[in-house]
Amino acid sequence: MTFQNKPGQDFIRQAPFLAHILDSIQAGINILDREMNILAANSWLDRMYPYKVPLAGKKCYQAFQDRASVCPWCPVVRTLENGQPDSAMVPYILGGQPRGTLEISVYPMLDSSGNVEGVIEYFQDITEKIRDKEKLMQASKMASLGTLVAGVAHEINNPNNFIMLNAPLLQEAWEDARPILEQHARDHGDFKLAGLPFSRISGQMSNLFAGIIDGSKRIKHIVNDLKDFARQSPINTGQNVDMNQVIVKTLNLTQKLINKHTDNFQVYYAENLPLVGGDSQKLEQVIINLILNACQSLNGKDRQVLVRSFYNQEKQAVIVEVVDQGEGISAENLPRITDPFFSTRRKTGGTGLGLAVTSSIVKDHGGILEFASGPGKGTTAKLYLFPSQKKLEGSHIRTIAYSDQVPGHGEKP
Ligand SMILES: Nc1ncnc2c1ncn2[C@@H]1O[C@H](COP(=O)(O)OP(=O)(O)OP(=O)(O)O)[C@@H](O)[C@H]1O
Ligand SMILES: [Mg+2]
């Protein structure tokens, strides 16, 4: 506790035990006179405002808010006026930068005649509390958004099912009717269908139907991704899953697409890979999304995609790595790639839901997804799963922007 040398305040100086108590409190306590001079401040405040020590002797607005005059929100002014306790939330400013939020409670100090001769200020750092509250609000907003998205997805699914079921039927009906209409045109001359000459429209009908069928398939795909993303209940991670098997199944499903993008695909399976707790289908979905992204990033068929599994003893993690020699991701885009609807491939049909769904599945598995990338340096996506099912604290997504020196391929197993 530091005190300002002022006549009449010596009683505090003579009470080291009291000072010791005040210094031991994990909150700020200071005493102000009517002119806002700090008469005493405990050591918590010294730690919070290291550049302003000693605090005693300074005006409170200079010491705590870097201001030349009284703060407009000051609760001390009100307490000095009306003699009532007051409080306020104020920014915690250190070195000119806002660092959080403090809650200040102000209590009047009365002299023997009942006049307010000063105040006691009690400071609490509520930065974490506010952050937690915001997180909670964000979580509940996300939950409402999830319900909304799931509802909309459901509503879109029903009419889309009609389109998916009936468009092929209409296409077939058209193919059956076509020779009859062609015969009719030959016998009676060209006629109009939907305002267009039959001779023109008949050649386009197949494309029109194909467009409708493709479009409805795409809607179904997006709706399914949205449903996955908005899923409220965590998935059941109770199966014992062999990640090598997951890779094998994934490659069966994606083989054609891989062949379309690269002649240089390699896969390495670790021996004796421990099983992980999980949902094998959801984990297949994760690996599929990573492989698709890797393939779609390639600029030529000679570029490589490599998939490998291994066990990292030190981290006690089963790791599946998908490495590509594709275009890479800029440092600016890297933190955004798991955001829903973030896509740089919109023109070629990307929805930006692939990694959003992937990251929520990884989170449900208590795993980590790590991306290391840089423009022109390829991308390494690493999925960490923990056989021990240990619950992870902190972020499930990590990104590393390759610096100029770091080569574009992953660590040795
Ligand atoms: N291996 C990769 N190489 C380069 N960019 C990548 C890679 N993986 C992801 N990205 C970037 O992240 C973005 C988001 O990926 P995400 O899989 O979520 O969506 P998408 O592939 O664009 O669309 P879709 O919903 O069809 O998967 C991509 O558009 C791309 O910019
Ligand atoms: Mg994708």
Side-chain angles (χ1 to χ4, degrees), residues 197-246:
F198 173 73
S199 55
R200 240 178 86 195
I201 203 170
S202 69
Q204 291 171 13
M205 286 297 275
S206 297
N207 281 346
L208 296 180
F209 279 117
I212 294 172
I213 292 166
D214 274 1
S216 65
K217 278 188 191 154
R218 188 161 154 72
I219 293 173
K220 188 181 165 68
H221 180 74
I222 294 174
V223 164
N224 284 345
D225 274 357
L226 273 176
K227 274 193 186 157
D228 267 339
F229 180 65
R231 178 176 30 80
Q232 306 273 334
S233 51
I235 48 186
N236 179 8
T237 56
Q239 305 163 10
N240 283 325
V241 182
D242 176 353
M243 283 311 286
N244 283 342
Q245 284 304 319
V246 168

Side-chain angles (χ1 to χ4, degrees), residues 266-404:
Q266 296 186 25
V267 55
Y268 299 100
Y269 299 99
E271 281 175 19
N272 305 321
L273 199 62
L275 301 178
V276 294
D279 176 323
S280 60
Q281 274 190 356
K282 297 286 172 197
L283 291 170
E284 278 165 32
Q285 204 179 338
V286 168
I287 306 296
I288 287 177
N289 282 337
L290 297 180
I291 293 180
L292 288 188
N293 281 350
C295 287
Q296 287 160 351
S297 76
L298 303 179
N299 288 325
K301 287 192 85 174
D302 58 325
R303 310 266 84 194
Q304 189 185 63
V305 172
L306 180 152
V307 178
R308 61 174 178 155
S309 60
F310 56 97
Y311 183 68
N312 183 313
Q313 192 70 45
E314 190 195 335
K315 292 178 182 147
Q316 296 194 2
V318 169
I319 300 178
V320 179
E321 193 174 59
V322 180
V323 186
D324 67 64
Q325 291 181 332
E327 62 190 2
I329 306 165
S330 68
E332 188 197 353
N333 285 346
L334 203 47
R336 302 171 59 201
I337 58 173
T338 57
D339 289 353
F341 300 110
F342 175 81
S343 176
T344 55
R345 303 198 188 110
R346 215 162 278 290
K347 276 192 194 137
T348 49
T351 58
L353 282 169
L355 289 184
V357 173
T358 299
S359 60
S360 87
I361 295 175
V362 173
K363 188 168 178 228
D364 281 344
H365 281 80
I368 298 175
L369 194 54
E370 187 180 273
F371 292 91
S373 190
K377 296 198 163 83
T379 301
T380 295
K382 260 190 200 175
L383 168 68
Y384 294 75
L385 294 165
F386 300 97
S388 58
Q389 286 273 293
K390 66 175 178 184
K391 275 286 154 219
L392 251 198
E393 293 294 326
S395 175
H396 292 266
I397 301 294
R398 294 181 189 158
T399 54
I400 303 161
Y402 283 143
S403 67
D404 288 336

